[in-house]
Amino acid sequence: MQLTELINKINTCTDELDFVSTRKYIEGNINLLEDYRHLLNRNAREIFDFIFGRFQTGYKPLTRNEFISINTINDYARNLNVREIRIIVREKPELFIREDITNSFTKDAKKLLIGMGVIK
C-alpha cells in the first residue's frame, strides 16, 4: 500500500468513526507514519500520538486470544461463575502477569480476581 493510500484510508476510517480499523492501520505502519503524521487529520493524529506514546513505553497491544479471555472473564464475573474463572486463570497465567491488564476488567471481575489473589 502506498503512503497516500494509507493516509487516505486512516483519515476515512477516522471520519467514519471506525477507530478499530484506524488503530490497526496505524499499528501496522507506525514507523512509516512517524515521519508523515502531519498528513493525518486531527482525530487520526490524536489516535496516532496515543498509540505511538504507548509503543515508546514498551506497551504491547492485546492479542485476539487475550482479548477474548478478558471478555470471557468479565462475562463469568457478571454471572458469578467463579469455577469457570478459575479454569481460565489456570489455563492462561501469563495473561495476569501484565500490569496493564487490570484496566480491561470490569469492577466485578476485578473484585473476584483480587479475592482469588490473581491480581493486586
Side-chain angles (χ1 to χ4, degrees):
M1 184 180 310
Q2 293 181 352
L3 177 66
T4 55
E5 185 181 353
L6 176 66
I7 297 291
N8 288 335
K9 281 191 181 260
I10 291 172
N11 287 336
T12 303
C13 289
T14 305
D15 291 340
E16 293 173 356
L17 302 177
D18 184 8
F19 299 125
V20 174
S21 297
T22 303
R23 179 183 57 83
K24 287 183 180 181
Y25 283 126
I26 290 173
E27 285 177 352
N29 300 290
I30 197 155
N31 294 329
L32 176 66
L33 292 171
E34 184 178 359
D35 297 331
Y36 297 101
R37 81 179 269 290
H38 64 279
L39 298 175
L40 298 171
N41 65 22
R42 182 173 179 233
N43 291 334
R45 213 173 342 188
E46 290 292 326
I47 294 170
F48 173 81
D49 290 340
F50 177 76
I51 292 171
F52 188 70
R54 292 189 88 172
F55 273 125
Q56 284 184 327
T57 60
Y59 171 78
K60 295 180 185 175
L62 294 173
T63 63
R64 181 172 170 77
N65 289 334
E66 290 172 338
F67 189 71
I68 290 170
S69 297
I70 290 169
N71 283 338
T72 304
I73 289 171
N74 288 336
D75 288 340
Y76 288 151
R78 186 183 47 211
N79 297 326
L80 291 173
N81 192 344
V82 179
R83 181 175 176 259
E84 295 296 327
I85 292 174
R86 285 184 182 154
I87 291 172
I88 293 175
V89 168
R90 271 189 241 126
E91 289 177 355
K92 306 200 185 257
E94 68 279 353
L95 178 66
F96 302 98
I97 295 173
R98 293 179 61 160
E99 293 179 12
D100 60 334
I101 206 73
T102 57
N103 297 332
S104 303
F105 293 118
T106 60
K107 289 181 182 178
D108 297 333
K110 283 181 188 176
K111 289 181 182 181
L112 285 172
L113 292 170
I114 289 171
M116 294 169 63
V118 176
I119 60 174
K120 295 180 181 178

